[in-house]
Amino acid sequence: MNARDITNMSQQAANGLPCRGKVLNLDNMNPNVRRVEYAVRGAIVQRALQIDKELKEGVKKPFTEVIKANIGDAHAMGQKPITFLRQVLALCAYPDLLDDNKFPDDSKQRARRILEACGGHSIGAYSSSQGIECIRQDVARYIEKRDDGISSDPDNIYLATGASDAIVTMLKLLVCGKGRDRTGVMISIPQYPLYSAALADLAAVQINYYLDEDKCWSLDIAELKRAVTAARQHCNPRVICIINPGNPTGQVQSRQCIEDVIRFAKEEHLFLMADEVYQDNVYAEGCKFHSFKRVLFEMGPEYSTTVEMASFHSTSKCYMGECGFRGGYMEVINMDPEVKAQLTKLVSVRLCPPVPGQALLDLVVNPPQPDEPSYDKFMKERTAVLAALAEKAGLTEQIFNTVPGITCNPVQGAMYTFPRITLPQKAIDKAKAEGQVPDMFYCMKLLEEEGICLVPGSGFGQREGTFHFRMTILPPTEKLKFVLQKISDFHIRFTQEFS
């Protein structure tokens, strides 16, 4: 209780009024919200922000800056925006620039088309709740081109406030029931904490299936069957979520694996959610992105007309890294028309996704073409970003695997590494004595001593007795080398200290 509460209670008592506490407190707030955890922005990140503030206030530390390698925020890590994307957004935000000859004609044409689709020719106006129609048409054409001509209906496209918003919206539709009939949702372990947080908020049952670390974080159908069979004893499994390429583990699923998952979803009568926001981030030789939709339709009508699915994409990852604009979409397939009407109603409650984010998404799915003036520069910048990420993926694996006690699988895709760390028993005991999970203790000590912010593997889930951390590969190459060396040196020092 703070001083203001005490003062208020004293005044109420003096006036003969009953003493009351806060209308909303921890005891009577929504208990589901209290169960929500989101490690990517959890306690260690809060401490990193505190240290940042201390450094600015002149407090002496063994380092001069905090390097936040905890989150896939490309521009915050120094990646430059793609020129064409920002040119069109600038024109949309300030249409007077359409008369400026510094902007290429194709960027002006894109901006005019977007503005003509906006109320009052302004991106400050609301759009339709499902998203601007011409942008949904462009998304559908993008999907058709990506999937080698497989049809996509713009009416099945829902624009969203990033992929995260669409994922949570879809889960809201799917969760129902009580007790043993409560909806169970299968998620990979390690997982992206959005999923566990959303399931906690919705009071759904989280069904864990484990990726195989010894086989480069591959997905095993026998493990899926184990998980769903065990879950049927206490809930009603209705959903399976797949992240491909993987976050935090960086694996890229093979076509055979995707076919197996689709068969499994059909056999077990599960709704399939395919999180494909890293679809352009594939680096490893022999790996290729296969969309779940394309594989589904190439498997024939037995699957393409029956398996219910939603797939998700975003402007925040790939080569764009435009996290702050919050652009994204989902495509729904084989959804019951009556349920689809309910989905449209649900998204309308929030009026519409951010229109600048919709505009950005349109440029991602409808980039400059070979005969347009912006094409060469766009392709040069796009290629450079993806090539740099591929180089850094290899560099990360190579350096970490030279350190005794760190084992790093190949970063086949996405923008993270999730290495396994061996911790001495004394460190594990020390962490438990301080009420911390061992890898949180490790990461917090790294932050305090080296100024490097990582996320402990426990925030993503991991097999009992194993420890990891997630680190983004986004920092510029020279800074990444510095970070990798600092972590390597710290790990050796940490191991010696607690041996």
Side-chain angles (χ1 to χ4, degrees), residues 73-351:
D73 191 350
H75 293 185
M77 286 281 100
Q79 181 179 309
K80 298 299 182 187
I82 300 296
T83 302
F84 177 76
L85 304 184
R86 288 301 183 90
Q87 284 177 330
V88 180
L89 290 172
L91 292 164
C92 289
Y94 190 55
D96 286 1
L97 292 173
L98 287 164
D99 297 324
D100 192 323
N101 60 14
K102 293 189 184 73
F103 290 83
D105 287 342
D106 54 344
S107 66
K108 292 180 180 180
Q109 290 165 2
R110 293 290 203 292
R112 287 192 183 99
R113 179 171 178 264
I114 292 167
L115 289 170
E116 285 169 6
C118 296
H121 291 192
S122 170
I123 59 170
Y126 288 129
S127 76
S128 64
S129 298
Q130 198 169 339
I132 295 171
E133 184 175 6
C134 72
I135 297 178
R136 288 189 288 113
Q137 291 169 350
D138 285 347
V139 171
R141 280 191 285 269
Y142 163 84
I143 292 170
E144 287 179 356
K145 183 178 179 182
R146 182 198 68 187
D147 293 341
D148 202 24
I150 293 168
S151 176
S152 178
D153 184 350
D155 195 45
N156 289 335
I157 306 294
Y158 288 78
L159 307 190
T161 309
S164 299
D165 173 58
I167 289 165
V168 172
T169 297
M170 201 66 242
L171 288 171
K172 279 186 179 180
L173 278 185
L174 285 156
V175 174
C176 68
K178 295 181 180 179
R180 289 186 63 172
D181 290 329
R182 190 65 175 166
T183 295
V185 179
M186 300 183 69
I187 65 172
S188 62
I189 299 296
Q191 54 106 18
Y192 177 48
L194 164 70
Y195 290 91
S196 55
L199 297 181
D201 187 29
L202 296 168
V205 179
Q206 177 177 317
I207 304 170
N208 296 338
Y209 64 88
Y210 289 88
L211 302 178
D212 189 344
E213 183 173 10
D214 293 334
K215 295 181 180 177
C216 204
W217 298 111
S218 64
L219 194 159
D220 179 50
I221 294 300
E223 168 62 11
L224 292 183
K225 290 179 178 177
R226 178 208 63 78
V228 78
T229 301
R232 290 198 192 282
Q233 306 304 310
H234 59 87
C235 70
N236 178 20
R238 299 182 66 211
V239 190
I240 181 169
C241 302
I242 306 284
I243 308 174
N244 180 47
N247 176 10
T249 43
Q251 84 284 5
V252 177
Q253 303 292 358
S254 68
R255 183 191 170 91
Q256 182 60 55
C257 176
I258 292 170
E259 287 185 12
D260 291 344
V261 170
I262 290 169
R263 289 191 189 93
F264 172 79
K266 183 178 186 298
E267 289 167 6
E268 300 293 341
H269 201 53
L270 301 174
F271 191 101
L272 176 57
M273 292 177 61
D275 182 340
E276 298 175 331
V277 302
Y278 299 99
Q279 57 191 257
D280 289 328
N281 298 112
V282 177
Y283 319 121
E285 190 174 339
C287 289
K288 181 182 178 182
F289 171 75
H290 302 275
S291 81
F292 267 82
K293 181 187 178 183
R294 177 173 180 170
V295 176
L296 174 69
F297 277 78
E298 289 179 348
M299 288 173 71
E302 179 186 354
Y303 298 94
S304 64
T305 61
T306 59
V307 175
E308 297 160 66
M309 187 178 91
S311 62
F312 308 89
H313 195 19
S314 168
T315 61
S316 299
K317 309 302 177 184
C318 299
Y319 64 91
M320 305 83 70
E322 294 280 11
C323 305
F325 279 98
R326 310 308 301 132
Y329 74 79
M330 70 174 166
E331 181 183 28
V332 296
I333 296 164
N334 293 325
M335 179 173 278
D336 183 306
E338 293 181 342
V339 174
K340 192 172 159 192
Q342 295 297 313
L343 170 59
T344 304
K345 177 186 73 175
L346 181 59
V347 299
S348 72
V349 173
R350 282 178 281 185
L351 298 176

Side-chain angles (χ1 to χ4, degrees), residues 398-420:
Q398 177 189 342
I399 290 179
F400 274 151
N401 281 330
T402 64
V403 184
I406 297 182
T407 306
C408 183
N409 269 318
V411 183
Q412 296 177 333
M415 48 185 62
Y416 314 97
T417 181
F418 197 71
R420 182 169 175 172

Side-chain angles (χ1 to χ4, degrees), residues 84 87 104-107 368-369 372-379:
F84 177 76
Q87 284 177 330
D105 287 342
D106 54 344
S107 66
Q369 299 304 302
E372 293 181 319
S374 297
Y375 178 79
D376 289 343
K377 186 171 187 178
F378 171 81
M379 288 304 297

Side-chain angles (χ1 to χ4, degrees), residues 31-44:
N32 295 337
V33 175
R34 289 184 62 183
R35 284 193 285 270
V36 168
E37 293 183 5
Y38 189 62
V40 174
R41 297 201 175 203
I44 197 162

